[in-house]
Amino acid sequence: MDLENIRDNQILDITLKNYTYDFSVSIKDSFLHEIEECFFILEERYNSNQLSLNYTKIQEVQEYQIFRCEIPFNDYKQIFLENTIWDLYLVRKKNSEDVYKSRIKSNYDNIRFLTIIYEKEKKMFYPYTTRNGNISFRLNDYFLCSKFETVDLENDNFSFSGYFNFPPYYKTNKVQVNELKLVVANNFNEHEIELPVRRYEREDLAKNYYCNTNILDIGIKGEVNLKKLINEINQLDNKVYFKFYLIMYYQYEDQMDVLRSTRIRLHHLSKFPKKKIIEFNNHKIKFLVKPTKKSKYLSVQASKYNFKNEVVRSMRKKWIKIRRSKELRRVYKAVFSLLSKLPRKKNTIMFESFHGKQFSDSPRAIYEYMMNNKMNFDMYWSMDRRHTHVFKDKNVKAVRRFSVKWLLLMARAEFWVSNSRLPLWIPKPKHTKYLQTWHGTPLKRLAADMDEVHMPGTNTTKYKENFIKESSKWDFLISPNAYSTEIFKRAFQFERKIIESGYPRNDFLINSNNQESINNIKKSNNLPLDKKIILYAPTWRDNQFYAKGKYKFNLRMDLDLMKEKLDEKYILVLRLHYLVAENLDLTGYEDFVYDFSTYEDIRELYLIADLLITDYSSVFFDYANLKRPMLFYVYDIEEYRDNLRGFYFDFEKKAPGPLVKTTEEIIREVLEIERQGFKPSTNTEEFYRKFCYLEDGSASERVVNEVFLK
């Protein structure tokens, strides 16, 4: 048990003996504060079956309590055979109503070696580490996988070492591995290269994972000649990406067979990327070895080497590092404070939407209202340097965020208008009035109302403190209804002027809701006029992220099934949250699925959508103004409700549309609406009266009159 590197909600060790998984878990004291009861469960991912686990508290270390748990496999054998994936949770109860579930993190060891084999069914049950770093247990058919722990670039070769994992080999005496080969594929053609692989003994793995002696033979090593890779594809003009697999030739119960592995992964502790430049046919070729971002697969990239481009790329990286440094931030803050003492620029407004990434939302609606009414204001847009393309051809005065001109304008502007938080280090000048439009009617808990924060780069206390510091700078805050006003005052601890006007961004939905506008938007985006549009607009999950401000999202829809059942009359338009960093591969779904995640303003997507599918995103409050059908795809509602955020009202009872958890349910509801037509429920009517009563197409006018003209 590793007691020196303890982390909260993480397994410290796990063993498999006599068909029982035995593991220890560290839980922070503060996590158990005021908790009446806590226990551990396995929950089936897709149908929410639960198994309670035996556990005991074994010791306290520093600020952690250590628990020992067991999963007696034989006791649940039939249940495991009937289900696929089980996730490990800590459940905490404050009382009968306040119940919280938290996933348990993995320790990233080679826990897949702790596999139980079903010889009769040719299946295996094993623990593994998910992409989010949690521990889960899975039932699978036999499969082969491999991991490289070292990759070194020397001369014209890269050498590797690691292991292969085929549990029937070291769990039974019926498998004999005859030969292993490395397979190299590329993105340029379908040709694959097979290379020899040497095996060696891995006493460290045999010692740690209590398997029979066959596990000694699972070590693998070999070399790949880089020139051979280039020569095989005979292509140098474009970047080439190489992918790696393992092929095993083996004998099972006197029958010869061949098995191809899943794509080879890199060990999570290995240091990458690694670079190598070689000479080939009078050219310099650069090889870059690194793991893929999401799944940590081994990827080798080859491209022509250009010294000038490399220098420029290196300088750019260094400048980005300097630009993001704390030292430069201190300099910016000092300069900003100094400039803010200069006389204000009367009637100057700085607009910003989603940190300068978009020309959208309520700031855009206010700007367009003022432009259309020819108001005498000097108006600028704050623009993120990575999203300059968004502002091209918009006929707006856009200024690059954090540039010298931006500093001068922000420090002297009479007004700021933003729909999200500005960097905390920016001090608001005394002469500036700050209008915060915010960006949604609250369903999930906000700021001071949140019990726990699971976002990267912060903790609960720090997050709340920083949020309140930011909200203390606001002079005006827009609210779409009385319900939101009450929550905003408490959650943001806001005591200044709240403008209860409706959201300016929804003026467009009221004033442009006609067939001509809808068809024009469809035509400009090459969308078919003869099919109905399903808009899927989910939110992000606080605890699923790559880095601060870059969130993961798993598209949990069976697109094949949806295309089969709905393709004749519908298309699916995807709009992921602006914080989500996924690049979706929609190959094979052309003409049915369209990714509009980077579309500049979701209001046009609302207008053309015949049906909205969402989850806990506030988009449904806005879409409700169109009085069209909505579905709520809430496959993880228990975790989101109880663990991540929590809701302000009884979402499960009051949602203005059906709650569904599977693709089959989505299809059933869509086809039912197709057959019966949309019939608003009592929930829908009540929802509209409570949340949309101010949306009459004139919210922008009310805000402008209150802030800029009063």
Side-chain angles (χ1 to χ4, degrees), residues 379-383 388 391-392 396-400 405:
M379 297 183 284
Y380 298 86
W381 276 84
S382 174
M383 170 183 66
T388 56
F391 295 87
K392 285 184 178 179
V396 301
K397 292 185 281 189
V399 183
R400 199 175 68 206
K405 185 176 181 180

Side-chain angles (χ1 to χ4, degrees), residues 76-100:
Y76 305 122
K77 181 175 179 178
Q78 191 57 41
I79 298 175
F80 288 145
L81 264 176
E82 294 169 357
N83 297 276
T84 307
I85 301 177
W86 296 84
D87 300 319
L88 181 61
Y89 286 91
L90 169 70
V91 180
R92 297 170 298 140
K93 286 187 175 182
K94 284 190 176 180
N95 49 55
S96 58
E97 295 182 356
D98 295 331
V99 181
Y100 308 98

Side-chain angles (χ1 to χ4, degrees), residues 409-422:
L409 286 168
M410 284 290 287
R412 298 184 62 192
E414 184 174 6
F415 299 98
W416 293 347
V417 180
S418 177
N419 68 345
S420 52
R421 291 189 288 161
L422 292 171

Side-chain angles (χ1 to χ4, degrees), residues 604-629:
E604 293 186 351
L605 302 184
Y606 292 149
L607 202 61
I608 64 174
D610 298 279
L611 181 148
L612 173 71
I613 301 177
T614 186
D615 44 19
Y616 326 107
S617 171
S618 63
V619 298
F620 70 88
F621 290 96
D622 300 320
Y623 190 78
N625 288 287
L626 296 170
K627 299 184 178 179
R628 298 176 189 170

Side-chain angles (χ1 to χ4, degrees), residues 144-183:
L144 171 67
C145 65
S146 182
K147 183 175 285 187
F148 286 175
E149 295 164 307
T150 66
V151 173
D152 294 309
L153 295 168
E154 297 177 357
N155 300 322
D156 293 338
N157 298 318
F158 86 74
S159 58
F160 59 86
S161 67
Y163 58 82
F164 73 94
N165 185 5
F166 185 58
Y169 171 56
Y170 54 79
K171 285 288 187 178
T172 75
N173 295 316
K174 299 178 182 179
V175 178
Q176 179 180 337
V177 176
N178 298 324
E179 187 180 15
L180 293 168
K181 286 190 176 181
L182 182 70
V183 177

Side-chain angles (χ1 to χ4, degrees), residues 375-621:
M375 296 186 175
N376 189 26
F377 287 84
D378 198 10
M379 297 183 284
Y380 298 86
W381 276 84
S382 174
M383 170 183 66
D384 186 287
R385 66 181 66 240
R386 294 159 295 187
H387 294 79
T388 56
H389 62 281
V390 170
F391 295 87
K392 285 184 178 179
D393 305 322
K394 292 293 189 302
N395 196 28
V396 301
K397 292 185 281 189
V399 183
R400 199 175 68 206
R401 217 169 182 237
F402 306 133
S403 65
V404 173
K405 185 176 181 180
W406 183 90
L407 285 171
L408 284 165
L409 286 168
M410 284 290 287
R412 298 184 62 192
E414 184 174 6
F415 299 98
W416 293 347
V417 180
S418 177
N419 68 345
S420 52
R421 291 189 288 161
L422 292 171
L424 198 62
W425 59 265
I426 298 177
K428 185 175 80 73
K430 293 180 180 179
H431 56 247
T432 298
K433 296 180 180 67
Y434 185 174
L435 168 61
Q436 174 58 244
T437 70
W438 201 238
H439 49 263
T441 301
L443 166 66
K444 52 202 177 192
R445 296 190 180 277
L446 297 171
D449 286 348
M450 294 172 68
D451 292 326
E452 298 169 7
V453 173
H454 301 270
M455 303 174 198
T458 189
N459 56 46
T460 304
T461 302
K462 182 180 176 183
Y463 177 84
K464 292 182 179 183
E465 288 177 353
N466 289 346
F467 210 117
I468 302 310
K469 282 181 184 178
E470 162 68 10
S471 64
S472 68
K473 299 176 185 178
W474 305 342
D475 296 288
F476 304 95
L477 174 61
I478 293 176
S479 169
N481 43 54
Y483 158 88
S484 300
T485 298
E486 180 183 350
I487 292 171
F488 286 167
K489 283 181 179 179
R490 182 183 66 250
F492 298 151
Q493 296 185 15
F494 185 73
E495 299 176 354
R496 297 185 186 178
K497 178 68 175 180
I498 290 185
I499 305 170
E500 198 171 287
S501 59
Y503 270 137
R505 67 187 184 189
N506 290 333
D507 291 349
F508 177 81
L509 300 182
I510 307 302
N511 300 327
S512 300
N513 188 10
N514 56 73
Q515 198 59 51
E516 181 182 358
S517 297
I518 292 170
N519 286 343
N520 287 338
I521 296 170
K522 287 183 176 181
K523 288 175 184 177
S524 65
N525 289 285
N526 298 316
L527 296 174
L529 298 179
D530 60 340
K531 289 190 176 183
K532 294 182 179 180
I533 292 178
I534 300 171
L535 173 63
Y536 180 38
T539 191
W540 47 291
R541 272 65 175 165
D542 303 44
N543 65 339
Q544 299 178 18
F545 52 84
Y546 294 112
K548 186 176 181 180
K550 294 183 178 180
Y551 288 83
K552 299 179 180 181
F553 185 77
N554 183 12
L555 190 64
R556 298 270 289 271
M557 283 183 174
D558 186 339
L559 296 181
D560 291 314
L561 186 60
M562 291 188 71
K563 184 175 182 180
E564 177 189 344
K565 301 294 185 182
L566 302 175
D567 183 44
E568 185 178 343
K569 293 185 178 181
Y570 291 88
I571 62 172
L572 178 65
V573 171
L574 305 178
R575 169 66 178 220
L576 303 187
H577 193 279
Y578 77 99
L579 288 175
V580 170
E582 303 296 347
N583 292 312
L584 300 176
D585 181 6
L586 298 176
T587 305
Y589 304 105
E590 296 84 358
D591 300 325
F592 176 64
V593 184
Y594 297 79
D595 186 5
F596 276 59
S597 296
T598 58
Y599 198 73
E600 67 176 7
D601 201 332
I602 197 172
R603 66 184 188 177
E604 293 186 351
L605 302 184
Y606 292 149
L607 202 61
I608 64 174
D610 298 279
L611 181 148
L612 173 71
I613 301 177
T614 186
D615 44 19
Y616 326 107
S617 171
S618 63
V619 298
F620 70 88
F621 290 96

